[in-house]
Amino acid sequence: MSEQVLGKRQFGHKARLVLPTVLSFKIDEQAHAARAMWNLLHAWWLMMPREKRTLANADAAIRQARKDVEFLAVLPAQAAQAVLKTYLQAWKNCWEGRAEAPNFKARFRAVLSVDVPQGRDLNIVRVHRRWGMVNIPKVGRVRFRWTKDLPVGKRADRDNRITGARLIKDDLGWHIAFRIQTLEPVPEPHEGPEVGIDVGIAVPLALSDGKSFRHGAWLTAKEQAKLLRLERRSAVLRQHRKRGEKTSKRLQCVYGQIARLSAKAKRRRQDWQQKTTTTIARAYGTVVVEALQITNMVKSAKGTIDQPGKNVAQKSGLNRSIHAEAWGRMVVMLGYKLTQRGGTLVKVPAPGTSQRCSMCGVTTPGNRESQVVFVCKNPECGWSGNADHNAGRNVLHLYRIGHVAIPAAGRRSRQARKRVQPATAR
């Protein structure tokens, strides 16, 4: 009998924190200090000559900033070092064409977060079937929701442990995302069948074997009515706000209620995506999806003053629907879940998959008469069927003939790489 091969796996787990108001304010202060540290570091980086942009100089700069600026002292020293590490990684991603150049973080648009880079500082203890306690530097012991068995206590060792965490705030409160490292058996190749997936709006996921995955509205009828009432209320309050005037507390309160409802819908959407992608990853060995350029698909149709766009309102509604489905996050979930189970995720070019007949192979723009029905215009074929499942079969056909999309840096990333010259710190 052959020995089982073990491999390291790194993943994250997000849990909800239960914070008293005093401790919540303390973490808010640390998060704003981390954001200010990023902005100061970015300003220093832009002012320094290229030859002085080194890791040692940047480290000395943030140490001096913590001494000179009083409110930065609330941020733990290791969290400040994590800001520096994240900032340098952002430049590295820019140089390698994976992202644009880093920029300043605005107070109201940036996501508040604080990093805890050392797992030993957390001192995690499970105190109840549903609750655990974690130590946050310069804050204290905090209770969190226990929804997954973590490698803590006697279960923790050099290969199975929590290496760190990050505190993240959304519109529903603070959460903690643990970074976990485990030693697990390398999965055997998945023996499941191949399947092609077509993503859409009316039918979120249509599979080539005739199956489909749908979902209802993310908010109940009562919640939707409340959201509509709040949006109308915010529109009335904005009418009384003069240009350049500070937002009133009443309007901020309405904005907060709208944001909480939106965050609740987002959580439900992510829950559906997690369950759906797990079902697909367990059933299929090879999953083929389209390599969609979502950024290009959701571009505005307003146009310019000289050449105004057409059907702008309809295109705006379509863009909102595409954003709401979060196809990119769905593909990411499928990717790591298939890898964990020995499966494979493949991307194929998207053009023509909805206009090609999966029976005869003829591609005609008029084949798809509607969003639901596909009717082949080839006189020798004349096949008709569900348009989404037909597109899923075409996606799988492209993979079988070897027409696989090759990932490449986008034009915007290449332009950013040309615009920003690498510095000595690289």
Side-chain angles (χ1 to χ4, degrees), residues 154-169:
K154 296 181 179 180
R155 299 182 56 189
D157 53 32
R158 185 174 182 180
D159 297 321
N160 300 275
R161 57 195 175 92
I162 295 177
T163 60
R166 177 176 286 268
L167 306 175
I168 306 170
K169 187 177 184 180

Side-chain angles (χ1 to χ4, degrees), residues 161-187:
R161 57 195 175 92
I162 295 177
T163 60
R166 177 176 286 268
L167 306 175
I168 306 170
K169 187 177 184 180
D170 62 10
D171 294 302
L172 294 177
W174 279 99
H175 300 76
I176 183 168
F178 298 105
R179 293 189 288 268
I180 307 172
Q181 175 184 295
T182 59
L183 193 64
E184 298 179 354
V186 176

Side-chain angles (χ1 to χ4, degrees), residues 88-102 413-414 416-420:
L88 294 180
Q89 182 62 42
W91 275 115
K92 184 178 180 180
N93 294 338
C94 173
W95 294 330
E96 296 179 359
R98 296 193 298 266
E100 290 189 345
S413 298
R414 291 196 297 268
R417 191 164 64 246
K418 291 179 182 178
R419 184 170 59 250
V420 180

Side-chain angles (χ1 to χ4, degrees), residues 44-205:
W44 174 89
W45 185 275
L46 296 180
M47 290 188 300
M48 285 293 103
R50 190 181 307 171
E51 62 276 4
K52 292 187 178 181
R53 297 175 185 173
T54 63
L55 177 61
N57 290 340
D59 179 64
I62 65 172
R63 289 175 184 272
Q64 188 63 37
R66 295 185 74 246
K67 294 179 181 178
D68 297 339
V69 184
E70 184 178 356
F71 76 91
L72 293 180
V74 300
L75 185 67
Q78 291 184 344
Q81 293 295 323
V83 173
L84 172 60
K85 182 180 178 180
T86 305
Y87 182 78
L88 294 180
Q89 182 62 42
W91 275 115
K92 184 178 180 180
N93 294 338
C94 173
W95 294 330
E96 296 179 359
R98 296 193 298 266
E100 290 189 345
N103 206 338
F104 291 99
K105 291 187 176 182
R107 178 179 178 86
F108 296 105
R109 291 192 297 271
V111 177
L112 293 180
S113 63
V114 181
D115 200 272
V116 185
Q118 299 293 337
R120 62 174 178 267
D121 295 336
L122 298 172
N123 297 324
I124 301 172
V125 177
R126 187 173 187 178
V127 296
H128 189 264
R129 184 172 63 90
R130 294 184 177 181
W131 299 101
M133 296 292 290
V134 60
N135 181 68
I136 299 177
K138 290 195 174 184
V139 175
R141 302 291 289 175
V142 176
R143 188 171 58 159
F144 69 93
R145 185 74 170 177
W146 190 285
T147 56
K148 183 181 182 67
D149 288 335
L150 302 174
V152 297
K154 296 181 179 180
R155 299 182 56 189
D157 53 32
R158 185 174 182 180
D159 297 321
N160 300 275
R161 57 195 175 92
I162 295 177
T163 60
R166 177 176 286 268
L167 306 175
I168 306 170
K169 187 177 184 180
D170 62 10
D171 294 302
L172 294 177
W174 279 99
H175 300 76
I176 183 168
F178 298 105
R179 293 189 288 268
I180 307 172
Q181 175 184 295
T182 59
L183 193 64
E184 298 179 354
V186 176
E188 297 291 335
H190 200 301
E191 300 297 335
E194 302 171 344
V195 67
I197 297 181
D198 176 68
V199 296
I201 296 174
V203 181
L205 294 178

Side-chain angles (χ1 to χ4, degrees), residues 30 47 67 271 370:
Q30 289 191 13
M47 290 188 300
K67 294 179 181 178
D271 179 70
S370 67

Side-chain angles (χ1 to χ4, degrees), residues 262-281:
S262 301
K264 185 178 292 187
K266 182 179 178 180
R267 281 192 182 182
R268 292 171 181 171
R269 176 170 62 247
Q270 289 179 346
D271 179 70
W272 179 84
Q273 288 180 332
Q274 292 282 4
K275 294 176 181 177
T276 303
T277 51
T278 300
T279 302
I280 295 174

Side-chain angles (χ1 to χ4, degrees), residues 299-310 312 315:
K299 285 185 176 179
S300 175
K302 289 183 178 180
T304 61
I305 297 178
D306 298 332
Q307 296 180 351
K310 298 180 180 179
V312 178
K315 183 62 170 63

